[in-house]
Amino acid sequence: MASPLEDPPMEEEEQRPQLTRALLHRSATNNTSQVAMVGSNPCPIESLDYEMIENDLFDQNWRMRSKADQVRYVVLKWTFCLVIGILTGIVGFVINLAVENVAGFKHDAVSALMESSSYWTAFWVFAGSNLVLLLFASSITAFVSPAAGGSGIPEVKAYLNGVDAPSIFSLRTLGVKIVGNIAAVSSSLHVGKAGPMVHTGACIAAIFGQGGSRKYGLTCRWLRYFKNDRDRRDLVTIGAGAGVAAAFRAPVGGVVFALESLSSWWRSALIWRSFFTTAVVAVVLRLFIELCGSGRCGMFGQGGLIMYDVSTMFDDDLMTYHLKDIPTVILIGVAGALLGGLYNLLMMKVLRVYNTINEGGRAHKLLLAATVSILTSCCVFGLPWLAPCRPCPTTGSPWSPDGTCHALNRFRRFHCPPGHYNDLASLFLNINDDAIRNLYSTGTNDVYHPGSMIIFFVASYALGVLSYGVVAPSGLFVPIILTGATYGRLVAMLLGGHSGLDHGLVAILGSASFLGGTLRMTVSVCVIILELTNNLLLLPLVMLVLLISKTVADSFNSSIYDLILQLKGLPHLDGHTEPYMRQLTVGDVVAGPLRSFNGVDKVGNIVHILRTTGHNAFPVVDEPPFSPAPVLYGLVLRAHLLVLLKKREFLAAPERYPKEYVAGRFQAEDLDKRGSGKHDTIGDVELSWEEMEMYVDLHPFTNTSPYTVVETMSLAKALVLFREVGLRHLLVVPKACDRSPVVGILTRHDFMPEHILGLHPVLLGSRWKRLRWQKGAVAKYFRSLLVWIANSG
């Protein structure tokens, strides 16, 4: 859904062609929403200008650009990639270092109290510290930067699709994202660091893409090369990939994740720069891990940054598999898809409830966060009492010969006597990274009790659904990995001797299947899993389980990120077209009234139109005496008109500027797009009555090569052009030459299903549908199955 500030479709009512199909009934009004919910607050949404504006100033700028300027531009691109990689790697390390130390100190304090039998004191310390940490994260998010809440991946995906939501990449958002995510993850909330790291990397890159700052005195001439949305989009794509690399130490996975899941437009040059940036991230992380190897970083150990390295920690023969294990892999894939589809369904229902609560204001947001924190603390501290104490074996790779539990897996005694451990507490009272490392450990088939696995799976599944909607920086990736690993171990236990697969291996496959069932990603998840475990032998099984889980889960609902995009109201353009778009032409969806300017227009008329409309672009039509007949000269942007009005370069008579006048009074950087922050508005322009009666020549500032389509083109074909080229405005021109030279303008809002079906509600039944299992169909097939079983018996 577009916003009131976005360009509404425009068309003169009397010029609209009559529909030729009687079935295409057009409603009188369209009541679709035009704002998005970002940070639980409605905010205006605009599109990004990826199109290259070709006008006289642009041509002059390119003619004056020397070879040295081109070299500087290329060098700056690679320099920015280097700096983005270094900063993202540092931030990723700092987040992991802080989480491991804050959470580790809390867990050690609770363990010490438990060993002294101060059980109630341990609970109050645990629950109180969790509450303080989460309230701190929620407070800075609610009061400082609401856009920093959640994972940020849906917002990054929408931005790379062409949607510009306010403040999602601001410096304030970056700071809140880093600090808030550390506090939220350390509070034992069932959230992760990966999603916020993607948003963090994108924020770092977007700040470099501002093209300098007048406010802070950063006005270097070289930086102006990046004052456009095209280069900013490329930098944000690279930064998002770097964030994945920093979260998982997966440089190749970061590149593939950005390509498969985030970017809507990809160029071959981006692969090189993105791969270079993620490689820099990997080197920076390795450097800091080696520096911390001697214990100089507190509780941050060599196993930080969730690198599990199962191939070097344990024997390779435990990672083997055979053809007879394929049915087990298929079962894991199907079950992961069913669980993933249900997870997405429950998540959407919970988020809708949370949105209703959050609309009540900041106090309601903090109250919700406190409620979830208390519930989580009660579950995490209370459920381990249901697990039996198990003695530490004296044999096997993860155990010490003296009979104590080895520190590698960070097992917790909880209330157990010395020489014993509580398997459920070892999963609950650890950060998610260590819990996943425990579950991925091979050669530990007898470490966990089946009852403990069932309890932890149900609790992890439920807490993952309940935790994400809290107003704090939180990710979905790591909790889904943890829940999937638990489910994989549980399947391996239930199969028992029917499967020869090691339980740690099945846990890895469970994570892959649950990721495929919720996120609906295949290649990127496969690469990330392989880089996490450092074992290429898993490739065939991970590929198979991902293909099965994604295919089956697509029969129920969409990806969790796509569902969150819809819930937030971000107008994301999908890669497919709806069938009803082939029944409509572009002339069927444009609406009026059309506002345009003459090539030389009066200042008062321009000011009046800018004040009475929210359009961001206007057609420029030449009429006599500047042309023999009305002709479309091009498209002029609102931002460029504001620059002209502020400079007050007006004419006393309706005539063209002299040829050399524009070159002497204007520069190409005057029309460069400013970065985030306060933009110019028509309210900032103050003109006298004499100036309002003067004229402005719009020809030198008009884009003379806008993209145009004929009014008879199908809407489906226009959508493909609009999305693939990355447009913000698409002009519709008439089929006949005896009409006005422009019919209307198509914007992102015109391609939204809500808008189209609001105009033509009769087409609602022809929406594109995947192969979805409906509730009634499932119930029918289930009853048929029961009848068949009864008759067979």
Side-chain angles (χ1 to χ4, degrees), residues 37-50:
M37 304 293 292
V38 178
S40 301
N41 292 319
C43 64
I45 299 296
E46 294 195 9
S47 295
L48 298 170
D49 296 301
Y50 292 153

Side-chain angles (χ1 to χ4, degrees), residues 69-152:
D69 290 327
Q70 300 176 22
V71 173
R72 290 192 197 103
Y73 176 63
V74 175
V75 171
L76 271 178
K77 278 186 176 181
W78 288 96
T79 303
F80 281 178
C81 291
L82 174 64
V83 178
I84 290 169
I86 294 174
L87 292 179
T88 306
I90 293 174
V91 170
F93 170 77
V94 168
I95 290 177
N96 280 275
L97 176 66
V99 168
E100 295 225 3
N101 280 280
V102 174
F105 177 79
K106 177 188 67 178
H107 291 147
D108 285 354
V110 172
S111 297
L113 291 171
M114 292 294 295
E115 291 177 4
S116 62
S117 300
S118 302
Y119 300 142
W120 279 109
T121 304
F123 170 73
W124 291 120
V125 169
F126 180 73
S129 59
N130 289 341
L131 181 62
V132 170
L133 287 169
L134 185 56
L135 285 180
F136 171 72
S138 300
S139 298
I140 61 175
T141 304
F143 287 91
V144 180
S145 178
S151 71

Side-chain angles (χ1 to χ4, degrees), residues 325-375:
D325 298 320
I326 297 300
T328 302
V329 177
I330 296 175
L331 173 63
I332 293 173
V334 173
L338 298 176
L339 292 172
L342 178 62
Y343 190 88
N344 292 359
L345 176 65
L346 295 176
M347 179 74 75
M348 285 302 100
K349 293 184 178 298
V350 170
L351 287 180
R352 288 189 177 94
V353 175
Y354 283 4
N355 278 347
T356 303
I357 297 174
N358 291 334
E359 288 174 359
R362 293 166 179 168
H364 289 74
K365 296 177 182 179
L366 298 182
L367 181 61
L368 175 62
T371 304
V372 174
S373 177
I374 295 172
L375 176 63

Side-chain angles (χ1 to χ4, degrees), residues 190-450:
H190 204 64
V191 296
K193 306 183 292 283
M197 270 307 306
V198 174
H199 193 185
T200 299
C203 285
I204 294 173
I207 290 173
F208 277 93
Q210 295 298 310
S213 172
R214 296 178 182 176
K215 179 179 179 181
Y216 298 104
L218 301 175
T219 56
C220 178
R221 180 173 178 270
W222 293 4
L223 294 178
R224 73 177 183 85
Y225 297 145
F226 296 88
K227 287 192 173 183
N228 61 83
D229 287 329
R230 296 181 303 279
D231 286 309
R232 291 172 188 165
R233 173 192 63 191
D234 292 349
L235 288 175
V236 169
T237 304
I238 292 170
V244 177
F248 296 110
R249 261 202 306 176
V252 180
V255 177
V256 181
F257 183 89
L259 171 61
E260 178 185 11
S261 307
L262 298 178
S263 181
S264 297
W265 301 282
W266 192 268
R267 298 183 295 110
S268 59
L270 270 181
I271 296 180
W272 288 98
R273 295 204 296 275
S274 182
F275 186 68
F276 169 73
T277 307
T278 56
V280 172
V281 172
V283 171
V284 171
L285 293 178
R286 173 58 64 180
L287 174 63
F288 280 108
I289 289 174
E290 291 181 356
L291 291 176
C292 292
S294 58
R296 287 177 290 183
C297 298
M299 299 181 183
F300 184 82
Q302 293 183 354
L305 298 165
I306 58 174
M307 182 69 172
Y308 306 114
D309 208 11
V310 296
S311 65
T312 57
M313 291 167 53
F314 306 101
D315 297 332
D316 288 339
D317 57 351
L318 295 176
M319 304 302 294
T320 58
Y321 50 88
H322 305 281
L323 188 62
K324 65 178 182 180
D325 298 320
I326 297 300
T328 302
V329 177
I330 296 175
L331 173 63
I332 293 173
V334 173
L338 298 176
L339 292 172
L342 178 62
Y343 190 88
N344 292 359
L345 176 65
L346 295 176
M347 179 74 75
M348 285 302 100
K349 293 184 178 298
V350 170
L351 287 180
R352 288 189 177 94
V353 175
Y354 283 4
N355 278 347
T356 303
I357 297 174
N358 291 334
E359 288 174 359
R362 293 166 179 168
H364 289 74
K365 296 177 182 179
L366 298 182
L367 181 61
L368 175 62
T371 304
V372 174
S373 177
I374 295 172
L375 176 63
T376 302
S377 297
C378 292
C379 290
V380 171
F381 193 88
L383 291 177
W385 292 90
L386 303 177
C389 295
R390 301 167 66 87
C392 297
T394 57
T395 60
S397 57
W399 311 106
S400 295
D402 59 355
T404 60
C405 299
H406 199 281
L408 173 65
N409 291 283
R410 300 190 180 182
F411 283 99
R412 303 287 179 181
R413 275 180 52 191
F414 202 58
H415 66 290
C416 298
H420 293 71
Y421 71 97
N422 186 307
D423 56 355
L424 204 51
S426 301
L427 297 174
F428 274 125
L429 295 177
N430 267 322
I431 62 173
N432 289 338
D433 297 355
D434 293 327
I436 296 172
R437 190 175 295 108
N438 289 348
L439 295 172
Y440 279 8
S441 299
T442 54
T444 58
N445 290 3
D446 299 325
V447 169
Y448 299 100
H449 189 274

Side-chain angles (χ1 to χ4, degrees), residues 190 332 336 339 343 436 439-440 456-457 460-461 477-491 503-515 518:
H190 204 64
I332 293 173
L339 292 172
Y343 190 88
I436 296 172
L439 295 172
Y440 279 8
F456 186 74
F457 170 72
S460 177
Y461 194 95
F477 222 108
V478 174
I480 289 174
I481 291 177
L482 177 59
T483 306
T486 310
Y487 142 73
R489 279 249 175 193
L490 186 58
V491 170
H503 290 191
L505 171 59
V506 182
I508 296 173
L509 297 180
S511 294
S513 69
F514 200 42
L515 285 169
T518 53

